[in-house]
Amino acid sequence: MLLVVFHPTVAAGIETILRLERRYEVRRAAKLAEAVTIARSWPADLALVDASVLRGNARADLGVPALVLAASAAEAAPAERALDAPRGWVAKDAASADLVSAVERLLTRTVETPAGPLALFGIGVLVVVLAGLLLYLIWTAVV
């Protein structure tokens, strides 16, 4: 996980919370340019980005899904627009369990894809075959 937080004490606290879970490898960046460099050279699963790092005209193309750390939805909205793959936000003052839960939801989220035409055709054929088999069994039981 790539942690992008300017304030060193806040970053250290969040990193400690995540490392206590013993499920995450965390790399930290204090500046957006540094985060982009790390993201290009290290395969993070997600980024946790402080909204204050994304103020002004800053744009972050990290190439991974990102959660925004924000004080409110009003602060999170412009920060999410500055990211290439935003996946929501979590409050800066969230309890550690809520922070971990938000990260875990993002990491374990399944992507739903619609069934293609071949799959739908296959399901249709199976339904017709099963209906025919059921009619055959009924017919043999009656006769």
Side-chain angles (χ1 to χ4, degrees):
M1 172 181 324
L2 178 57
L3 179 59
V4 188
V5 177
F6 175 73
H7 196 282
T9 305
V10 173
I14 294 171
E15 183 177 2
T16 299
I17 289 169
L18 295 170
R19 287 192 186 273
L20 285 172
E21 291 295 313
R22 298 184 186 268
R23 292 187 299 228
Y24 313 112
E25 181 180 347
V26 180
R27 295 208 184 163
R28 217 163 70 182
K31 296 180 181 177
L32 207 49
E34 182 184 358
V36 170
T37 301
I38 292 171
R40 289 183 183 149
S41 64
W42 180 64
D45 293 322
L46 75 96
L48 191 55
V49 184
D50 189 351
S52 61
V53 175
L54 297 167
R55 293 195 181 175
N57 293 329
R59 174 98 180 119
D61 293 319
L62 301 173
V64 296
L67 276 175
V68 174
L69 283 167
S72 66
E75 183 185 28
E80 286 183 284
R81 287 190 296 273
L83 294 167
D84 60 334
R87 297 292 191 276
W89 70 282
V90 64
K92 286 182 180 180
D93 62 350
S96 60
D98 294 337
L99 174 66
V100 171
S101 177
V103 167
E104 201 60 33
R105 265 193 314 276
L106 183 61
L107 288 174
T108 59
R109 186 160 91 184
T110 58
V111 178
E112 293 183 24
T113 57
L118 184 59
L120 293 175
F121 176 74
I123 291 171
V125 168
L126 282 174
V127 168
V128 169
V129 168
L130 290 175
L133 182 60
L134 181 62
L135 289 173
Y136 175 74
L137 290 173
I138 293 171
W139 181 72
T140 56
V142 172
V143 175

